Amino acid sequence: KKILPHVRRLILSVICLFIWLPLLMMAGNSFLSRGEMLSRFGPVLNGGTGAVKVTLFPDFPTLSPFVELLLDSPGFFVMFWNSCLQTGAVLFGQMVVAVPAAWAFAMYSFPGKKLMFMGYIILMILPFQVLMTPDYFVLNRLHLLDTHLAVILPGIFSTFPVFLMEKFFKALPEAMLDAARVDGASELQIFIKLGVPLGMPGMMSSVILCFLEYWNAIEAPMTFLKTKAKFPLSLYLPNITTDQLSSSFAASIVMMIPAVLIFLWGRDYLQQGIEASGLKE
């Protein structure tokens, strides 16, 4: 029995090592010079023969990939701000649309409620490939293809935030809401002064999960956008040319930083929201 905890720690440590290994390799390779990049990955990049040299750290580390990325790559900044615009607009729109919808599903009874919520769940579990064609036709009919709204509007009306926040609002104590009604508070006042503050963990967990989804979105921008000047940052790496390979790992690190910071900032909210939604079980 005394040995079991040590064995468990050893197994978990090995698993963590395998999880961290790709990240360590990416961080180390972000300091590769162009020459060292070609010497290590040349057989793959140039279609030649030979073995790829994979190590955690470069032999001669340099900051030139970050300098090239941050100072000599205007396309990177354009895509970065496109990602900020598209992701920020989607998250704001989701809060405007999904929070009242989730509150209505959680607090009120109306004809067709169960059927409508079942439709929300079905739309939530359907992959993008199933919805891609109808979304494309709708956006084309509205003349929104190849605009930022082509990515923003489908994200605003995503059903996942409604599902997540509905579970959280439903867990609020009914006695407290009834007491507010007895004191003369209107339904709108209850929603704004009680529902929104008490439901903040669920809302923040939705923001974090949706940020991670839309910050890394690839399929929707590739389908609905054609002009490179409107591409998000998630499409920067697939469009890197051979002469920009030295900055590819640096771009991966820079792209990962906002997602990591958002997750670290809101991990407590995320845990509360997942527990309330029942996803933990």
Side-chain angles (χ1 to χ4, degrees), residues 99-279:
V99 174
W103 179 262
F105 275 119
M107 296 299 164
Y108 305 120
S109 297
F110 49 87
K113 172 183 173 180
K114 291 184 178 180
L115 183 62
M116 187 180 298
F117 195 71
M118 181 63 66
Y120 270 61
I121 295 176
I122 293 174
L123 288 173
M124 182 183 69
I125 63 178
L126 287 177
F128 172 80
Q129 290 80 0
V130 176
L131 301 174
M132 176 177 65
T133 302
D135 283 351
Y136 187 93
F137 285 135
V138 170
L139 293 170
N140 184 49
R141 194 66 180 267
L142 296 174
H143 305 287
L144 293 177
L145 286 177
D146 200 25
T147 67
H148 291 300
L149 287 175
V151 178
I152 294 171
L153 283 181
I156 287 177
F157 294 99
S158 171
T159 57
F160 174 72
V162 179
F163 170 79
L164 186 63
M165 289 185 281
E166 187 268 348
K167 298 297 181 183
F168 200 92
F169 285 141
K170 211 167 188 177
L172 297 180
E174 187 67 28
M176 179 183 61
L177 303 179
D178 290 337
R181 294 187 180 99
V182 171
D183 289 340
S186 65
E187 295 298 320
L188 181 60
Q189 289 175 322
I190 293 174
F191 169 64
I192 294 176
K193 296 184 178 180
L194 288 179
V196 172
L198 294 176
M200 191 60 65
M203 294 165 60
M204 288 297 100
S205 63
S206 173
V207 166
I208 295 166
L209 292 174
C210 291
F211 176 88
L212 297 176
E213 177 183 357
Y214 290 99
W215 183 259
N216 298 302
I218 293 180
E219 294 171 319
M222 287 185 67
T223 304
F224 304 139
L225 301 178
K226 304 301 179 187
T227 305
K228 285 188 177 182
K230 297 172 184 175
F231 281 4
L233 192 56
S234 55
L235 297 184
Y236 180 78
L237 289 176
N239 287 278
I240 282 182
T241 57
T242 306
D243 59 340
Q244 297 174 309
L245 286 174
S246 59
S247 62
S248 59
F249 289 106
S252 300
I253 294 294
V254 174
M255 182 178 176
M256 187 176 62
I257 289 175
V260 172
L261 293 178
I262 289 289
F263 177 81
L264 292 176
W265 168 75
R267 57 184 176 181
D268 292 335
Y269 289 121
L270 183 61
Q271 182 179 356
Q272 294 177 42
I274 292 176
E275 289 175 351
S277 69
L279 294 177

Side-chain angles (χ1 to χ4, degrees), residues 28-29 31-33 36 39-40 53 55-62:
N29 289 331
F31 297 98
L32 285 173
S33 64
E36 194 170 356
S39 67
R40 290 189 178 192
K53 301 176 183 177
T55 57
L56 289 179
F57 304 103
D59 296 330
F60 306 99
T62 176

